[in-house]
Amino acid sequence: MPLPRTRGTALRHRLAELRGPDVPAKALDARALAALAANPGCARRAILDGAGVNKAALASALGSPSAFGQSQFALTRGNAFEAKVKADGGAELLRLVHEKLDRSAEPPADARVPDLTATGPQGRTARTELELRGAAAHPGAWTLLDHPMLALDVAGSPAFLEPDAVVVHPDGSWTVVEIKSFPLLDGSADPAKVGAAARQAAVYVLALEEVAARLGAEPEEAAGTEGPSAAVPPAPAEAPRTRSGQDTAAAPRVRHRVLLVCPRDFSNLPAASAVDIRKQRAVTARQLARLTRIEDIADALPEGTCFSPELPAEELTAAVESVPATYAPECLSACELAFHCRTRSRQAGAVTSLGRPVRAELGGLTTVEEVLAAARGEAGDPGDPAVAALRRAAALRAEALEAACR
């Protein structure tokens, strides 16, 4: 007799059905997660990302292929630069961390670089947490975690994230390191790119804070335990156990200043800058908390809904349109389905296609037709501030045109 499905198993099975038979899941990385947090009202992106749907392939199948992405040349250059920064056991990287973030500590010599190899994302997450637990139990030395794996609960589903590096300081605190291939020119970089890197790092900081909370909720004996039993951390969504006086270990501190490492000017030499991501962390945490739970979105879908790119175009379009989207012009730089959603938004005459600031100013007027009718005095409540402003603007425009024609 088969064992009954648990809630988590049922959700994974449901998401696999939405993804399509034999379609591998696409991992949700920190960049996609930051973009999702920037638009928490979009149920379409939430369910597609939660199910691991390849949105680029989906957009191509819908006839609206995405027009952005990193070139192979940029990826190769970025990988070569990262390898240079981490060469010799990460000596240069640790030197930059010491110089920019922790000058009072002893210089990093003979830092520990543990092997984080394990099977699957769950195994790598467990291995990472085991090494972080060991570093927290034995402070006083520098530790470099190269490409650790972290887990973060997103709308009721775990997302596995892989920062470039995490450094454990001698005082036991943790720092996220982001290595990017865009240059630092005269000590500064493109603000838009730095902002994107800060939002991505904020996701890693949130994931590390969950690990720190679990370690701080463990008894002292468990925090220092090593062996097979310590290699299986609690699920990402599990709340930490209540602390009980002096029986618990102090939670490690996750630093809110991350290290951004980029090439200096037009060379391949590394330069670094400390970036305070407290604002991005607070915004991302608030937006992630607002996300509708993935299981609630999945339960509201019609029976048999599937997002496999192999489906006929009409059936696939109907499946995508069954999930409400919240389009904004900012989606063009963050979501592969942006062109499809923009076309549908324009066809519906939705004011969201004009941008979030305009949408906020128009209040209850949700379509361009409603806005024009209100401006002409054909519809709308005159007591509504948005309607009154539109009619005043229309009157001023009419006066200006009349004066120009004289």
Side-chain angles (χ1 to χ4, degrees):
M1 179 178 178
L3 295 174
R5 285 184 185 172
T6 64
R7 185 177 182 181
T9 303
L11 177 60
R12 287 194 296 271
H13 182 75
R14 174 65 170 141
L15 294 180
E17 291 177 343
L18 293 174
R19 194 166 55 244
D22 303 323
V23 177
K26 186 177 186 298
L28 181 63
D29 59 16
R31 183 174 298 161
L33 190 53
L36 177 60
N39 191 7
C42 187
R44 181 176 297 171
R45 173 149 197 169
I47 191 65
L48 292 176
D49 283 344
V53 175
N54 187 330
K55 297 194 298 299
L58 181 61
S60 298
L62 291 171
S64 302
S66 60
F68 70 91
Q70 199 169 14
S71 68
Q72 190 62 41
F73 172 76
L75 288 172
T76 302
R77 182 181 60 184
N79 291 336
F81 177 69
E82 181 177 338
K84 180 180 179 67
V85 172
K86 294 180 178 178
D88 299 324
E92 179 64 14
L93 176 57
L94 290 168
R95 184 191 69 79
L96 292 171
V97 173
H98 177 263
E99 176 187 336
K100 299 293 182 178
L101 295 174
D102 202 356
R103 284 180 176 271
S104 61
E106 289 292 326
D110 301 325
R112 198 170 65 94
V113 185
D115 182 11
L116 301 179
T117 304
T119 303
Q122 290 88 352
R124 291 184 59 197
T125 301
R127 182 66 185 175
T128 297
E129 187 159 331
L130 176 63
E131 293 296 342
L132 287 171
R133 180 185 292 115
H138 302 91
W142 291 88
T143 301
L144 172 62
L145 301 184
D146 185 7
H147 282 288
M149 183 68 74
L150 306 171
L152 181 66
D153 180 72
V154 180
S157 180
F160 295 99
L161 311 169
E162 187 178 3
D164 293 327
V166 170
V167 173
V168 181
H169 295 247
D171 64 359
S173 60
W174 303 343
T175 288
V176 171
V177 177
E178 274 290 280
I179 302 175
K180 298 297 184 183
S181 59
F182 58 82
L184 282 174
L185 302 175
D186 293 329
S188 61
D190 183 346
K193 293 181 178 179
V194 173
R199 289 190 293 273
Q200 188 174 340
V203 175
Y204 298 137
V205 167
L206 288 172
L208 275 176
E209 286 177 347
E210 288 195 358
V211 178
R214 288 197 292 273
L215 297 188
E218 291 180 348
E220 290 280 3
E221 303 80 38
T225 300
E226 303 216 1
S229 62
V232 183
E238 182 180 338
R241 295 187 295 275
T242 304
R243 300 189 182 193
S244 56
Q246 299 179 351
D247 295 335
T248 55
R253 178 169 65 95
V254 182
R255 294 176 177 242
H256 290 161
R257 295 178 73 207
V258 303
L259 190 74
L260 177 63
V261 182
C262 302
R264 180 186 290 114
D265 299 326
F266 298 102
S267 69
N268 202 35
L269 299 175
S273 175
V275 181
D276 191 325
I277 53 94
R278 282 178 293 183
K279 178 180 178 182
Q280 290 84 356
R281 180 218 165 274
V283 171
T284 302
R286 183 170 64 251
Q287 299 292 61
L288 288 177
R290 291 177 54 199
L291 287 173
T292 305
R293 294 184 65 84
I294 290 174
E295 55 212 296
D296 296 337
I297 302 174
D299 290 342
L301 295 178
E303 189 67 28
T305 298
C306 181
F307 303 110
S308 172
E310 304 299 325
L311 293 175
E314 291 185 1
E315 185 177 343
L316 186 60
T317 301
V320 171
E321 295 301 317
S322 67
V323 190
T326 305
Y327 171 78
E330 293 86 350
C331 297
L332 292 172
S333 62
C335 182
E336 295 87 343
L337 283 177
F339 289 119
H340 173 81
C341 296
R342 181 179 66 175
T343 299
R344 297 296 180 180
S345 179
R346 288 176 173 176
Q347 290 174 348
V351 296
T352 52
S353 61
L354 303 176
R356 290 195 181 100
V358 175
R359 173 69 187 89
E361 292 289 339
L362 293 174
L365 304 174
T366 59
T367 66
V368 175
E369 288 187 1
E370 290 178 352
V371 171
L372 295 176
R376 291 192 295 261
E378 299 171 357
D381 180 7
D384 187 337
V387 174
L390 286 169
R391 292 180 181 177
R392 177 59 177 162
L396 292 174
R397 179 177 181 274
E399 290 177 8
L401 292 175
E402 182 179 352
C405 294
R406 288 176 184 172

